[in-house]
Amino acid sequence: MSDLLLLGLIGGLTLLLLLTLLAFAGYSGLLTGVAVSAGSPLIRNITVAYKFHVGPYGNTGQLFTESCSISPELRSIAVYYDHPHMVPPEKCRCAVGSILSEGEVSPSPELIQLYQKFGFKIFSFPAPSHVVTATFPYTTSLSIWLATRRVHPALDTYIKERKLCAHPRLEIYHQDQIHFVCPLARQGDFYVPEVKETERKCRGLVEASDAQVDGTGADTMSDMSSVSLEVGPGSRETSAITLSPGASSRGWDDGDNRSEHSYSESGASGSSFEELDLEGEGPLGEPRLGPEAKPLGLFREPTTPEKDEE
């Protein structure tokens, strides 16, 4: 009789444990539907403090922790430039840090100096006119794992089906939500200098290799290289034109020479955001903002992407 009672107790505890795990997974967003939409963004131009990372995206947790420990009340941001299914993990590039200011408000010099003291660099992102966006609950550390496996595939499918050129991929951690944003315009302005420099070096290696194969074309290759750099990644004025969604999805500013493995590969060329049937509601269930409306600012409570891990 005591054995049956013990087995029943073990079975009850096992069932209780399973129910607890299911409840925890549900609270983390396991059962939350992923709605992807296109339209006007809910964020304005932002200034960020970031560190550039090359390697597996799963190893960026330390950068999140470092940036949040400097100023916990600021929102965290990550910008991913390479598709992890198309690029070897050790070559994936991203920028991770904190949002220092948004809109017309400039970050204080003291805050900038504080982040620079710890090796962070400062960069500004514009407010894109149209984006592909989605949200996911951010309630536990498991939420990040679930978002990686649910939201990104949904974004890939949405972009591919509509043949959009939407890149790079931004993650903004705001209170209990993770906002995923893929610009449909001015994409070049979201590439930090380190990414542009690596692309420039890759172009140089390719051009040098081609020049060695065909020695007679060396002068031609040199001329083409100089033209490419003139209108290259450092020009924000040209990026809005050359990186429009109707441009080739191979590149970010000069499609023949840029990396073939960025998030721009997820979409096909030919579609522009003007052709989209934009949804009537924003990612938070609010009406889409018109061109004359003032975007909503996001104010983040003290939290980090590693919360609840302790």
Side-chain angles (χ1 to χ4, degrees), residues 14-290:
T14 302
L15 180 61
L16 181 61
L17 177 61
L18 291 175
L19 292 176
T20 302
L21 292 176
L22 288 175
F24 178 76
Y27 177 70
S28 301
L30 178 63
L31 304 179
T32 302
V34 178
V36 181
S37 60
S40 301
L42 291 178
I43 60 170
R44 296 168 287 184
N45 52 295
I46 55 177
T47 300
V48 302
Y50 74 93
K51 281 191 175 182
F52 186 64
H53 172 80
V54 179
Y57 288 153
N59 295 344
T60 58
Q62 178 60 35
L63 295 180
F64 279 107
T65 301
E66 186 177 352
S67 64
C68 290
S69 63
I70 298 174
S71 187
E73 72 276 5
L74 297 180
R75 290 161 288 158
S76 296
I77 184 172
V79 187
Y80 301 102
Y81 297 107
D82 297 300
H83 200 302
H85 294 162
M86 300 176 64
V87 178
E90 66 274 9
K91 295 183 179 180
C92 288
R93 302 162 299 176
C94 66
V96 177
S98 299
I99 298 178
L100 304 184
S101 65
E102 181 181 355
E104 302 303 321
V105 180
S106 300
S108 65
E110 293 79 10
L111 185 61
I112 293 177
Q113 292 175 4
L114 179 60
Y115 272 89
Q116 289 178 334
K117 176 182 176 181
F118 290 95
F120 285 80
K121 296 183 178 180
I122 309 301
F123 197 73
S124 295
F125 296 146
S129 56
H130 291 79
V131 297
V132 175
T133 184
T135 60
F136 196 80
Y138 175 44
T139 52
T140 69
S141 57
L142 180 61
S143 300
I144 302 175
W145 187 88
L146 291 172
T148 302
R149 284 149 183 80
R150 298 192 59 201
V151 180
H152 288 294
L155 288 170
D156 290 338
T157 300
Y158 186 95
I159 293 170
K160 183 177 181 180
E161 288 179 349
R162 289 158 179 79
K163 299 182 179 180
L164 300 174
C165 184
H167 60 90
R169 195 157 293 181
L170 285 70
E171 292 181 3
I172 299 175
Y173 293 81
H174 167 55
Q175 296 182 356
D176 59 351
Q177 294 280 323
I178 306 176
H179 295 262
F180 297 82
V181 180
C182 305
L184 286 168
R186 302 187 66 181
Q187 293 100 328
D189 291 346
F190 290 86
Y191 285 81
V192 296
E194 290 85 347
V195 177
K196 300 171 184 178
E197 181 62 28
T198 58
E199 294 298 336
R200 202 174 284 123
K201 291 180 179 179
C202 288
R203 289 203 303 273
L205 292 175
V206 172
E207 291 167 354
S209 177
D210 291 344
Q212 290 177 357
V213 173
D214 185 5
T216 60
D219 293 338
T220 303
M221 293 294 295
S222 178
D223 293 340
M224 291 179 64
S225 176
S226 63
V227 172
S228 174
L229 290 178
E230 282 184 13
V231 296
S235 173
R236 294 204 170 197
E237 289 75 19
T238 59
S239 64
I241 299 175
T242 60
L243 294 177
S244 63
S248 170
S249 64
R250 281 193 54 180
W252 299 315
D253 59 0
D254 49 353
D256 292 336
N257 295 323
R258 300 293 289 217
S259 169
E260 298 182 12
H261 307 294
S262 72
Y263 269 114
S264 60
E265 279 292 295
S266 301
S269 60
S271 296
S272 65
F273 58 77
E274 288 88 352
E275 299 170 355
L276 285 173
D277 181 15
L278 301 179
E279 284 77 357
E281 292 186 345
L284 301 180
E286 300 176 356
R288 280 286 174 196
L289 301 177

